[in-house]
Amino acid sequence: DGARNISSLCNELRVLRRVRHSHIVAFHAAVLDPTSAQLAMIFEYVEGVTMDGFISAAHGQAQIRLATLAKPLIDVGSALEYLHACGPPIVHGDIKDSNIKVMWVGGDKPHAK
């Protein structure tokens, strides 16, 4: 069972290494502690709020445009389209509002990762 877990983990690391998309958090490295056999994965830091926080904040703004609200959803759709078009297709498996970060680019444009 341990060998199967290591094989599965190595496969996931190989997949992460080749994923590049402007709306997907970048994978940088994996570090294995030889004494404890614990693995740490290092990803891009994304400043911003979670998708649910973005929607809650936007809900209180009467003047926010529908296009502004829709932009992060379009970003997520773009990322999923990219993943599913990979060969073989990549399935995220844990998409939820708390796993999506929205940051403001240029002061007025939301960008989701």
Side-chain angles (χ1 to χ4, degrees):
D1 190 44
R4 193 171 352 148
N5 287 341
I6 290 172
S7 176
S8 177
L9 180 61
C10 288
N11 187 47
E12 184 171 346
L13 291 173
R14 275 190 292 277
V15 168
L16 286 171
R17 191 179 65 208
R18 66 183 174 92
V19 170
R20 295 284 179 262
H21 190 276
S22 63
H23 299 293
I24 297 175
V25 177
F27 171 73
H28 291 299
V31 180
L32 179 63
D33 181 346
T35 57
S36 68
Q38 289 190 332
L39 179 77
M41 296 193 319
I42 302 165
F43 290 89
E44 164 190 16
Y45 175 74
V46 179
E47 186 82 35
V49 298
T50 59
M51 180 69 89
D52 56 341
F54 171 77
I55 292 170
S56 294
H59 183 69
Q61 298 178 12
Q63 300 297 79
I64 196 158
R65 295 179 44 225
L66 181 59
T68 301
L69 276 174
K71 171 73 169 63
L73 298 174
I74 293 167
D75 294 348
V76 171
S78 173
L80 288 174
E81 181 179 43
Y82 166 81
L83 290 173
H84 295 174
C86 288
I90 300 169
V91 177
H92 185 285
D94 194 26
I95 295 176
K96 54 188 173 190
D97 56 1
S98 60
N99 285 347
I100 300 167
K101 293 284 256 195
V102 180
M103 63 195 119
W104 291 95
V105 177
D108 64 343
K109 291 189 172 68
H111 180 89
K113 280 195 173 217

XYZ file of all heavy atoms in Angstrom:
857
model
N 0.827 -1.201 0.000
C 0.000 0.000 0.000
C 0.866 1.258 0.000
O 0.549 2.222 -0.664
C -0.942 -0.017 1.196
C -1.997 1.075 1.124
O -2.567 1.261 0.040
O -2.234 1.729 2.145
N 1.983 1.239 0.728
C 2.900 2.374 0.780
C 3.516 2.651 -0.575
O 3.664 3.802 -0.986
N 3.885 1.586 -1.303
C 4.482 1.747 -2.627
C 3.466 2.351 -3.599
O 3.812 3.178 -4.446
C 4.981 0.413 -3.153
N 2.200 1.956 -3.464
C 1.141 2.499 -4.317
C 0.936 3.984 -4.021
O 0.732 4.789 -4.925
C -0.156 1.725 -4.111
C -1.181 2.026 -5.154
C -2.402 1.137 -5.121
N -2.259 0.034 -4.202
C -3.249 -0.515 -3.523
N -4.461 -0.059 -3.663
N -3.050 -1.527 -2.708
N 0.999 4.368 -2.745
C 0.851 5.778 -2.370
C 1.994 6.615 -2.936
O 1.771 7.717 -3.426
C 0.797 5.941 -0.853
C -0.521 5.459 -0.276
O -1.506 5.325 -0.994
N -0.530 5.202 1.010
N 3.220 6.096 -2.857
C 4.378 6.822 -3.388
C 4.255 6.955 -4.900
O 4.519 8.016 -5.457
C 5.695 6.131 -2.981
C 5.916 6.304 -1.480
C 6.869 6.690 -3.769
C 7.068 5.519 -0.921
N 3.846 5.888 -5.570
C 3.666 5.925 -7.019
C 2.604 6.954 -7.402
O 2.786 7.734 -8.341
C 3.268 4.545 -7.525
O 2.998 4.591 -8.890
N 1.497 6.985 -6.670
C 0.424 7.942 -6.928
C 0.904 9.373 -6.700
O 0.609 10.275 -7.489
C -0.764 7.630 -6.018
O -1.771 8.584 -6.197
N 1.668 9.581 -5.635
C 2.209 10.901 -5.331
C 3.186 11.357 -6.409
O 3.141 12.502 -6.861
C 2.890 10.893 -3.963
C 3.495 12.202 -3.509
C 2.445 13.289 -3.397
C 4.197 12.016 -2.179
N 4.047 10.468 -6.851
C 5.006 10.805 -7.919
C 4.270 11.173 -9.208
O 4.666 12.112 -9.902
C 5.969 9.650 -8.164
S 7.173 9.442 -6.845
N 3.197 10.456 -9.508
C 2.403 10.766 -10.689
C 1.780 12.154 -10.556
O 1.795 12.940 -11.506
C 1.321 9.708 -10.896
C 0.598 9.913 -12.204
O 1.222 10.115 -13.236
N -0.724 9.863 -12.151
N 1.245 12.484 -9.390
C 0.656 13.806 -9.180
C 1.707 14.907 -9.332
O 1.452 15.945 -9.939
C 0.005 13.894 -7.800
C -0.697 15.208 -7.577
C -1.531 15.253 -6.318
O -1.812 14.199 -5.722
O -1.902 16.370 -5.927
N 2.904 14.668 -8.824
C 3.980 15.657 -8.953
C 4.379 15.847 -10.416
O 4.639 16.975 -10.848
C 5.187 15.245 -8.115
C 4.997 15.316 -6.608
C 6.202 14.719 -5.881
C 4.720 16.725 -6.139
N 4.408 14.768 -11.190
C 4.710 14.879 -12.622
C 3.650 15.717 -13.337
O 3.962 16.544 -14.186
C 4.810 13.495 -13.263
C 6.164 12.848 -13.152
C 6.261 11.604 -14.010
N 5.413 10.518 -13.547
C 5.748 9.668 -12.574
N 6.906 9.780 -11.975
N 4.933 8.712 -12.214
N 2.395 15.509 -12.975
C 1.304 16.272 -13.583
C 1.410 17.737 -13.200
O 1.337 18.629 -14.053
C -0.071 15.693 -13.168
C -1.203 16.632 -13.546
C -0.280 14.317 -13.787
N 1.610 18.014 -11.916
C 1.708 19.399 -11.444
C 2.856 20.154 -12.110
O 2.745 21.345 -12.392
C 1.893 19.434 -9.926
C 0.668 19.117 -9.081
C 1.053 18.974 -7.619
C -0.398 20.186 -9.257
N 3.939 19.448 -12.355
C 5.133 20.066 -12.930
C 4.869 20.654 -14.321
O 5.470 21.637 -14.713
C 6.249 19.027 -12.989
C 7.602 19.598 -13.308
C 8.652 18.536 -13.316
N 8.381 17.604 -14.410
C 8.723 16.333 -14.421
N 9.356 15.812 -13.400
N 8.450 15.561 -15.452
N 3.947 20.077 -15.073
C 3.720 20.541 -16.449
C 2.492 21.442 -16.605
O 2.251 21.970 -17.689
C 3.623 19.352 -17.398
C 2.446 18.468 -17.184
C 2.481 17.261 -18.144
N 1.425 16.329 -17.839
C 0.223 16.345 -18.394
N -0.076 17.255 -19.290
N -0.679 15.450 -18.065
N 1.729 21.658 -15.550
C 0.537 22.510 -15.641
C 0.943 23.978 -15.600
O 1.595 24.426 -14.663
C -0.447 22.192 -14.489
C -1.562 23.216 -14.422
C -1.002 20.786 -14.637
N 0.574 24.727 -16.645
C 0.865 26.155 -16.729
C -0.343 26.878 -17.311
O -0.697 26.682 -18.477
C 2.083 26.427 -17.634
C 3.375 25.873 -17.103
C 3.918 26.733 -15.956
N 5.155 26.191 -15.436
C 5.249 25.432 -14.351
N 4.182 25.115 -13.670
N 6.406 24.990 -13.946
N -0.981 27.687 -16.508
C -2.143 28.451 -16.953
C -2.283 29.673 -16.055
O -2.014 29.597 -14.855
C -3.404 27.578 -16.875
C -4.605 28.185 -17.516
N -5.412 29.091 -16.855
C -5.132 28.032 -18.752
C -6.400 29.454 -17.670
N -6.241 28.820 -18.817
N -2.696 30.782 -16.626
C -2.768 32.036 -15.865
C -3.797 32.018 -14.739
O -3.745 32.867 -13.852
C -3.062 33.205 -16.813
O -4.329 33.038 -17.426
N -4.702 31.048 -14.740
C -5.718 30.974 -13.688
C -5.555 29.727 -12.816
O -6.499 29.322 -12.132
C -7.120 31.036 -14.289
C -7.374 32.307 -15.035
N -7.441 33.530 -14.419
C -7.526 32.554 -16.355
C -7.640 34.468 -15.313
N -7.696 33.895 -16.505
N -4.355 29.149 -12.844
C -4.041 27.994 -11.988
C -2.799 28.336 -11.181
O -1.801 28.802 -11.729
C -3.810 26.721 -12.837
C -5.094 26.354 -13.593
C -3.347 25.569 -11.941
C -4.940 25.185 -14.542
N -2.876 28.122 -9.875
C -1.742 28.403 -8.996
C -0.555 27.551 -9.435
O -0.676 26.337 -9.621
C -2.113 28.102 -7.522
C -0.931 28.312 -6.606
C -3.292 28.968 -7.082
N 0.595 28.197 -9.600
C 1.788 27.517 -10.107
C 2.442 26.651 -9.028
O 2.593 27.068 -7.884
C 2.794 28.545 -10.619
N 2.818 25.460 -9.427
C 3.589 24.545 -8.575
C 5.063 24.852 -8.798
O 5.520 24.937 -9.933
C 3.276 23.103 -8.972
C 4.164 22.083 -8.329
C 4.038 21.766 -6.990
C 5.138 21.429 -9.071
C 4.852 20.824 -6.397
C 5.958 20.481 -8.490
C 5.815 20.176 -7.150
N 5.813 25.035 -7.692
C 7.234 25.361 -7.814
C 8.156 24.188 -7.505
O 9.119 23.961 -8.223
C 7.594 26.538 -6.902
C 6.991 27.826 -7.350
N 7.249 28.412 -8.561
C 6.111 28.652 -6.734
C 6.568 29.534 -8.674
N 5.871 29.701 -7.578
N 7.856 23.462 -6.436
C 8.792 22.399 -6.043
C 8.151 21.492 -5.004
O 7.125 21.814 -4.411
C 10.063 23.015 -5.458
N 8.822 20.367 -4.793
C 8.465 19.458 -3.706
C 9.745 19.160 -2.940
O 10.813 18.986 -3.541
C 7.860 18.172 -4.253
N 9.633 19.150 -1.634
C 10.797 18.913 -0.779
C 10.466 17.748 0.153
O 9.439 17.746 0.815
C 11.134 20.178 0.058
C 12.340 19.928 0.936
C 11.343 21.372 -0.842
N 11.360 16.766 0.165
C 11.182 15.597 1.022
C 12.175 15.666 2.167
O 13.379 15.792 1.952
C 11.406 14.312 0.220
C 11.267 13.008 0.981
C 9.849 12.829 1.511
C 11.651 11.843 0.092
N 11.664 15.597 3.398
C 12.521 15.554 4.580
C 12.939 14.095 4.775
O 12.098 13.246 5.089
C 11.760 16.059 5.806
C 12.593 16.055 7.068
O 13.674 15.420 7.094
O 12.166 16.686 8.047
N 14.217 13.774 4.586
C 14.652 12.373 4.653
C 14.536 11.755 6.049
O 14.382 10.545 6.169
C 16.108 12.415 4.189
C 16.545 13.824 4.362
C 15.318 14.668 4.269
N 14.575 12.565 7.073
C 14.496 11.998 8.427
C 13.067 11.651 8.820
O 12.837 10.643 9.469
C 15.101 12.963 9.475
O 14.419 14.212 9.403
C 16.582 13.169 9.220
N 12.107 12.472 8.404
C 10.718 12.206 8.789
C 9.893 11.626 7.641
O 8.758 11.205 7.861
C 10.050 13.493 9.272
O 9.900 14.400 8.196
N 10.444 11.643 6.432
C 9.752 11.174 5.220
C 8.497 12.005 4.938
O 7.572 11.531 4.301
C 9.432 9.693 5.300
N 8.471 13.245 5.405
C 7.345 14.130 5.110
C 7.650 14.944 3.861
O 8.787 15.364 3.636
C 7.065 15.062 6.283
C 6.474 14.340 7.471
C 5.993 15.328 8.526
O 6.497 16.430 8.652
N 4.993 14.900 9.289
N 6.611 15.161 3.081
C 6.741 15.886 1.833
C 6.069 17.247 1.965
O 4.952 17.347 2.472
C 6.079 15.107 0.696
C 6.126 15.765 -0.671
C 7.512 15.600 -1.286
C 5.077 15.172 -1.573
N 6.744 18.283 1.514
C 6.167 19.625 1.447
C 6.130 20.040 -0.012
O 7.119 19.895 -0.728
C 7.000 20.608 2.253
N 4.968 20.524 -0.457
C 4.840 21.008 -1.827
C 4.783 22.533 -1.775
O 4.063 23.102 -0.949
C 3.608 20.410 -2.489
C 3.735 18.905 -2.606
S 2.561 18.038 -3.671
C 1.023 18.767 -3.416
N 5.531 23.182 -2.655
C 5.638 24.629 -2.649
C 4.923 25.176 -3.881
O 5.262 24.830 -5.016
C 7.120 25.066 -2.639
C 7.807 24.463 -1.413
C 7.236 26.581 -2.667
C 9.306 24.508 -1.470
N 3.927 26.039 -3.617
C 3.119 26.637 -4.675
C 3.268 28.153 -4.651
O 3.680 28.741 -3.654
C 1.631 26.296 -4.470
C 1.291 24.863 -4.723
C 1.362 23.926 -3.710
C 0.889 24.436 -5.978
C 1.043 22.597 -3.929
C 0.564 23.112 -6.214
C 0.642 22.193 -5.191
N 2.888 28.760 -5.736
C 2.825 30.214 -5.845
C 1.938 30.771 -4.731
O 0.894 30.203 -4.411
C 2.233 30.555 -7.216
C 1.739 31.944 -7.402
C 0.952 32.115 -8.695
O 0.523 31.119 -9.313
O 0.767 33.280 -9.084
N 2.341 31.903 -4.151
C 1.500 32.587 -3.172
C 0.524 33.477 -3.927
O 0.920 34.248 -4.799
C 2.343 33.435 -2.218
C 1.495 34.254 -1.271
C 0.841 33.645 -0.205
C 1.324 35.609 -1.468
C 0.042 34.380 0.646
C 0.531 36.351 -0.617
C -0.108 35.735 0.438
O -0.901 36.467 1.279
N -0.744 33.365 -3.599
C -1.762 34.173 -4.265
C -2.417 35.087 -3.230
O -3.054 34.620 -2.291
C -2.840 33.287 -4.941
C -3.909 34.148 -5.601
C -2.208 32.347 -5.954
N -2.218 36.378 -3.418
C -2.836 37.397 -2.572
C -4.286 37.545 -3.002
O -4.603 37.466 -4.177
C -2.090 38.719 -2.775
C -2.529 39.835 -1.867
C -1.899 39.769 -0.496
O -0.738 39.353 -0.398
O -2.585 40.111 0.477
N -5.182 37.780 -2.081
C -6.573 38.011 -2.453
C -7.524 37.416 -1.440
O -7.142 37.067 -0.328
N -8.773 37.302 -1.847
C -9.818 36.733 -0.995
C -10.342 35.468 -1.654
O -10.178 35.270 -2.862
C -10.976 37.734 -0.773
C -10.486 38.986 -0.058
C -11.663 38.101 -2.072
N -10.986 34.636 -0.883
C -11.602 33.442 -1.467
C -12.810 33.866 -2.306
O -13.329 34.981 -2.164
C -12.053 32.454 -0.375
O -12.993 33.117 0.476
C -10.871 31.943 0.432
N -13.242 32.985 -3.170
C -14.381 33.291 -4.041
C -15.611 33.656 -3.218
O -16.325 34.608 -3.551
C -14.687 32.099 -4.952
C -15.855 32.324 -5.893
S -15.551 33.540 -7.181
C -14.879 32.487 -8.429
N -15.859 32.935 -2.121
C -17.033 33.270 -1.308
C -16.884 34.657 -0.684
O -17.849 35.406 -0.586
C -17.337 32.197 -0.271
C -16.180 31.879 0.658
O -15.028 32.199 0.341
O -16.436 31.284 1.732
N -15.672 35.040 -0.295
C -15.438 36.381 0.229
C -15.650 37.450 -0.830
O -16.205 38.521 -0.557
N -15.215 37.157 -2.050
C -15.404 38.087 -3.169
C -16.891 38.305 -3.435
O -17.348 39.439 -3.578
C -14.709 37.540 -4.419
C -15.019 38.294 -5.678
C -14.418 39.526 -5.931
C -15.906 37.788 -6.608
C -14.701 40.232 -7.093
C -16.193 38.479 -7.771
C -15.590 39.707 -8.014
N -17.650 37.226 -3.468
C -19.089 37.324 -3.743
C -19.798 38.059 -2.610
O -20.651 38.910 -2.851
C -19.691 35.932 -3.991
C -19.152 35.376 -5.314
C -21.212 35.984 -4.008
C -19.463 33.930 -5.558
N -19.432 37.763 -1.373
C -20.040 38.449 -0.223
C -19.756 39.942 -0.261
O -20.640 40.765 -0.023
C -19.522 37.867 1.091
O -19.947 36.546 1.244
N -18.503 40.316 -0.570
C -18.133 41.728 -0.637
C -18.863 42.422 -1.783
O -19.312 43.566 -1.653
C -16.628 41.876 -0.800
N -18.991 41.749 -2.911
C -19.656 42.334 -4.074
C -21.155 42.499 -3.827
O -21.773 43.437 -4.338
C -19.422 41.460 -5.303
N -21.711 41.602 -3.031
C -23.150 41.644 -2.745
C -23.549 42.966 -2.077
O -24.628 43.480 -2.319
C -23.547 40.457 -1.863
C -25.007 40.387 -1.580
N -25.923 40.093 -2.555
C -25.712 40.589 -0.439
C -27.138 40.107 -2.020
N -27.035 40.406 -0.741
N -22.645 43.527 -1.295
C -22.937 44.780 -0.609
C -22.741 46.009 -1.467
O -23.038 47.120 -1.027
N -22.255 45.852 -2.681
C -22.000 46.991 -3.565
C -23.093 47.072 -4.627
O -23.154 46.232 -5.528
C -20.642 46.862 -4.239
C -19.476 46.859 -3.282
C -18.162 46.686 -4.022
O -18.095 46.784 -5.237
N -17.110 46.433 -3.268
N -23.912 48.078 -4.533
C -25.044 48.214 -5.462
C -24.585 48.507 -6.889
O -25.252 48.128 -7.841
C -25.974 49.317 -4.980
N -23.429 49.128 -7.047
C -22.988 49.574 -8.369
C -22.106 48.566 -9.107
O -21.675 48.854 -10.209
C -22.227 50.900 -8.247
C -23.049 52.031 -7.653
C -24.236 52.367 -8.520
O -25.249 51.681 -8.498
N -24.114 53.420 -9.293
N -21.824 47.431 -8.528
C -20.916 46.476 -9.190
C -21.589 45.917 -10.450
O -22.775 45.598 -10.453
C -20.465 45.358 -8.235
C -19.263 44.641 -8.822
C -21.584 44.399 -7.922
C -18.433 43.919 -7.808
N -20.820 45.843 -11.500
C -21.332 45.368 -12.783
C -21.375 43.844 -12.820
O -20.543 43.173 -12.222
C -20.446 45.892 -13.907
C -20.494 47.410 -14.016
C -19.595 47.967 -15.109
N -19.688 47.207 -16.329
C -18.623 46.834 -17.052
N -17.416 47.161 -16.692
N -18.781 46.141 -18.159
N -22.322 43.320 -13.562
C -22.453 41.875 -13.722
C -21.188 41.286 -14.342
O -20.734 40.212 -13.944
C -23.674 41.545 -14.571
C -23.959 40.063 -14.794
C -24.156 39.347 -13.463
C -25.177 39.887 -15.677
N -20.578 41.998 -15.282
C -19.351 41.516 -15.927
C -18.225 41.357 -14.910
O -17.423 40.426 -14.999
C -18.927 42.469 -17.034
N -18.175 42.250 -13.922
C -17.156 42.166 -12.879
C -17.392 40.932 -12.017
O -16.453 40.227 -11.653
C -17.164 43.445 -12.012
O -16.916 44.563 -12.858
C -16.114 43.391 -10.929
N -18.644 40.670 -11.690
C -18.974 39.477 -10.904
C -18.704 38.195 -11.686
O -18.260 37.199 -11.124
C -20.449 39.497 -10.498
C -20.809 40.274 -9.256
C -22.319 40.317 -9.089
C -20.153 39.670 -8.033
N -18.961 38.209 -12.972
C -18.820 37.004 -13.795
C -17.363 36.682 -14.121
O -17.034 35.519 -14.367
C -19.613 37.166 -15.083
N -16.491 37.673 -14.116
C -15.100 37.485 -14.542
C -14.398 36.340 -13.806
O -13.770 35.481 -14.441
C -14.334 38.806 -14.405
C -12.838 38.735 -14.607
C -12.436 38.527 -16.049
C -10.959 38.721 -16.286
N -10.059 37.806 -15.622
N -14.437 36.259 -12.464
C -13.769 35.136 -11.791
C -14.347 33.770 -12.180
O -13.614 32.783 -12.262
C -13.980 35.419 -10.307
C -14.220 36.881 -10.223
C -14.940 37.234 -11.493
N -15.638 33.713 -12.446
C -16.241 32.442 -12.868
C -15.752 32.045 -14.253
O -15.497 30.865 -14.521
C -17.765 32.552 -12.842
C -18.379 32.835 -11.476
C -19.873 33.066 -11.601
C -18.071 31.713 -10.507
N -15.601 33.023 -15.120
C -15.056 32.767 -16.456
C -13.602 32.300 -16.336
O -13.168 31.383 -17.051
C -15.185 34.021 -17.340
C -16.664 34.287 -17.616
C -14.398 33.879 -18.638
C -16.959 35.648 -18.209
N -12.841 32.906 -15.421
C -11.453 32.490 -15.182
C -11.381 31.023 -14.760
O -10.551 30.260 -15.259
C -10.809 33.354 -14.094
C -10.626 34.806 -14.495
O -10.774 35.137 -15.696
O -10.337 35.620 -13.595
N -12.249 30.636 -13.840
C -12.274 29.247 -13.363
C -12.651 28.309 -14.510
O -12.040 27.251 -14.688
C -13.240 29.080 -12.168
C -13.435 27.615 -11.810
C -12.724 29.861 -10.960
N -13.628 28.719 -15.304
C -14.015 27.911 -16.459
C -12.868 27.740 -17.440
O -12.662 26.656 -17.994
N -12.092 28.798 -17.643
C -10.937 28.740 -18.529
C -9.895 27.745 -18.003
O -9.324 26.960 -18.770
C -10.323 30.137 -18.656
O -9.122 30.098 -19.368
N -9.662 27.777 -16.693
C -8.701 26.847 -16.084
C -9.181 25.402 -16.219
O -8.397 24.502 -16.540
C -8.480 27.211 -14.619
N -10.461 25.177 -15.990
C -11.005 23.817 -16.108
C -10.950 23.322 -17.549
O -10.628 22.156 -17.810
C -12.441 23.771 -15.596
C -12.595 23.884 -14.093
C -14.069 23.975 -13.719
C -11.929 22.712 -13.391
N -11.250 24.208 -18.486
C -11.161 23.832 -19.901
C -9.735 23.401 -20.246
O -9.519 22.407 -20.931
C -11.601 25.008 -20.762
C -11.574 24.714 -22.247
C -12.052 25.898 -23.065
O -11.655 27.036 -22.763
O -12.810 25.667 -24.017
N -8.759 24.151 -19.755
C -7.345 23.813 -19.979
C -7.016 22.441 -19.389
O -6.418 21.592 -20.057
C -6.459 24.894 -19.356
C -5.016 24.494 -19.239
C -4.162 24.575 -20.332
C -4.504 24.015 -18.041
C -2.829 24.194 -20.232
C -3.173 23.632 -17.922
C -2.345 23.717 -19.018
O -1.028 23.328 -18.909
N -7.402 22.221 -18.133
C -7.087 20.947 -17.471
C -7.733 19.768 -18.188
O -7.105 18.720 -18.369
C -7.547 20.980 -16.009
C -6.767 21.892 -15.075
C -7.444 21.949 -13.708
C -5.317 21.446 -14.944
N -8.979 19.939 -18.583
C -9.697 18.837 -19.220
C -9.210 18.577 -20.644
O -9.404 17.482 -21.178
C -11.200 19.104 -19.198
C -11.760 19.129 -17.817
N -13.070 19.462 -17.545
C -11.192 18.867 -16.603
C -13.276 19.403 -16.242
N -12.155 19.047 -15.654
N -8.553 19.559 -21.253
C -8.022 19.391 -22.612
C -6.622 18.766 -22.601
O -6.106 18.407 -23.663
C -7.985 20.741 -23.328
N -6.016 18.643 -21.425
C -4.689 18.016 -21.340
C -4.812 16.553 -21.734
O -5.872 15.948 -21.639
C -4.130 18.121 -19.911
S -3.628 19.780 -19.446
N -3.708 15.975 -22.169
C -3.717 14.557 -22.515
C -2.806 13.785 -21.583
O -1.617 14.018 -21.605
N -3.320 12.948 -20.745
C -4.732 12.692 -20.466
C -5.357 13.852 -19.686
O -4.654 14.638 -19.063
C -4.706 11.415 -19.617
C -3.383 11.444 -18.940
C -2.436 12.121 -19.901
N -6.698 13.938 -19.716
C -7.375 15.022 -19.001
C -7.042 15.006 -17.515
O -6.867 13.945 -16.906
C -8.862 14.716 -19.213
C -8.911 13.847 -20.414
C -7.635 13.058 -20.407
N -6.944 16.187 -16.929
C -6.673 16.339 -15.504
C -7.974 16.752 -14.821
O -8.635 17.687 -15.259
C -5.582 17.395 -15.252
C -4.282 16.993 -15.946
C -5.370 17.619 -13.759
C -3.233 18.088 -15.971
N -8.320 16.050 -13.749
C -9.522 16.360 -12.978
C -9.085 16.930 -11.633
O -8.299 16.309 -10.920
C -10.388 15.094 -12.770
C -11.603 15.408 -11.915
C -10.795 14.508 -14.110
N -9.584 18.121 -11.291
C -9.191 18.776 -10.042
C -9.677 17.984 -8.836
O -8.905 17.661 -7.954
C -9.724 20.214 -10.004
C -9.282 20.993 -8.817
N -9.803 20.793 -7.568
C -8.359 21.971 -8.690
C -9.217 21.617 -6.711
N -8.340 22.342 -7.376
N -10.938 17.694 -8.762
C -11.477 16.851 -7.707
C -11.865 17.560 -6.417
O -12.461 16.939 -5.538
N -11.539 18.843 -6.259
C -11.891 19.532 -5.008
C -12.149 21.013 -5.269
O -11.654 21.876 -4.554
C -10.784 19.352 -3.969
C -11.229 19.750 -2.567
O -12.449 19.698 -2.283
O -10.368 20.136 -1.766
N -12.942 21.305 -6.290
C -13.246 22.704 -6.595
C -14.381 23.160 -5.697
O -15.445 22.558 -5.661
C -13.639 22.884 -8.074
C -12.452 22.545 -8.948
C -14.124 24.313 -8.327
C -12.746 22.595 -10.410
N -14.107 24.220 -4.954
C -15.123 24.845 -4.109
C -14.701 26.290 -3.888
O -13.543 26.662 -4.132
C -15.282 24.106 -2.782
C -14.005 23.924 -2.001
C -14.231 23.015 -0.812
C -12.904 22.703 -0.134
N -13.040 21.667 0.855
N -15.628 27.102 -3.461
C -15.358 28.534 -3.348
C -14.186 28.857 -2.431
O -13.443 29.803 -2.677
C -16.612 29.301 -2.917
C -17.219 28.804 -1.623
O -16.692 27.864 -1.006
O -18.259 29.372 -1.233
N -13.952 28.057 -1.420
C -12.841 28.322 -0.501
C -11.487 27.914 -1.086
O -10.449 28.260 -0.529
C -13.074 27.630 0.839
O -13.181 26.237 0.654
N -11.469 27.209 -2.225
C -10.221 26.822 -2.897
C -9.891 27.734 -4.078
O -8.946 27.467 -4.804
C -10.301 25.383 -3.406
C -10.175 24.380 -2.299
O -9.798 24.701 -1.183
N -10.519 23.143 -2.583
N -10.677 28.771 -4.259
C -10.454 29.710 -5.360
C -10.156 31.078 -4.762
O -10.914 31.574 -3.927
C -11.695 29.803 -6.277
C -12.005 28.430 -6.873
C -11.481 30.857 -7.371
C -13.353 28.333 -7.538
N -9.039 31.675 -5.181
C -8.670 33.010 -4.709
C -8.970 34.020 -5.805
O -8.757 33.755 -6.985
C -7.184 33.077 -4.363
C -6.796 32.250 -3.167
C -7.213 32.912 -1.893
C -6.000 33.497 -1.259
N -6.102 33.891 0.089
N -9.468 35.184 -5.388
C -9.735 36.278 -6.321
C -8.918 37.480 -5.866
O -8.971 37.877 -4.704
C -11.236 36.648 -6.360
C -11.485 37.795 -7.336
C -12.080 35.435 -6.735
N -8.135 38.009 -6.800
C -7.337 39.198 -6.503
C -7.748 40.292 -7.493
O -8.319 40.001 -8.548
C -5.852 38.892 -6.605
C -5.394 38.483 -7.982
S -3.790 37.731 -7.942
C -4.251 36.140 -8.592
N -7.470 41.507 -7.133
C -7.781 42.635 -8.012
C -6.526 43.006 -8.792
O -5.471 43.224 -8.213
C -8.291 43.823 -7.210
C -9.648 43.548 -6.643
C -9.926 43.073 -5.396
C -10.900 43.669 -7.314
N -11.280 42.897 -5.244
C -11.904 43.262 -6.412
C -11.270 44.078 -8.584
C -13.258 43.255 -6.738
C -12.619 44.072 -8.908
C -13.592 43.672 -8.000
N -6.655 43.056 -10.109
C -5.543 43.400 -10.991
C -5.844 44.776 -11.597
O -6.939 44.997 -12.110
C -5.385 42.341 -12.108
C -4.279 42.729 -13.060
C -5.140 40.979 -11.513
N -4.891 45.657 -11.513
C -5.097 46.992 -12.068
C -6.111 47.804 -11.293
O -6.634 48.784 -11.802
N -6.442 47.364 -10.083
C -7.351 48.112 -9.226
C -8.821 47.838 -9.443
O -9.615 47.994 -8.530
N -9.215 47.403 -10.654
C -10.658 47.238 -10.890
C -11.044 45.960 -11.614
O -12.196 45.759 -11.939
C -11.185 48.445 -11.660
C -10.576 48.560 -13.059
O -9.548 47.927 -13.311
O -11.151 49.289 -13.880
N -10.084 45.076 -11.870
C -10.384 43.836 -12.592
C -10.086 42.635 -11.708
O -8.951 42.405 -11.314
C -9.553 43.763 -13.869
C -9.962 44.778 -14.912
C -9.243 44.494 -16.217
C -9.755 45.343 -17.329
N -9.486 46.733 -17.256
N -11.113 41.820 -11.410
C -10.853 40.620 -10.612
C -10.165 39.542 -11.452
O -10.404 39.436 -12.659
C -12.252 40.170 -10.175
C -13.172 40.726 -11.207
C -12.528 41.986 -11.719
N -9.311 38.783 -10.822
C -8.553 37.702 -11.479
C -8.574 36.510 -10.529
O -8.123 36.626 -9.392
C -7.117 38.171 -11.736
C -6.260 37.144 -12.411
N -6.177 37.040 -13.770
C -5.461 36.183 -11.899
C -5.339 36.047 -14.079
N -4.900 35.523 -12.957
N -9.105 35.389 -10.980
C -9.229 34.205 -10.123
C -8.134 33.194 -10.401
O -7.688 33.028 -11.533
C -10.595 33.556 -10.327
N -7.706 32.528 -9.343
C -6.755 31.404 -9.428
C -7.225 30.333 -8.486
O -7.686 30.582 -7.423
C -5.343 31.830 -9.030
C -4.618 32.532 -10.144
C -3.148 32.607 -9.830
C -2.413 33.149 -11.009
N -1.153 32.573 -11.234
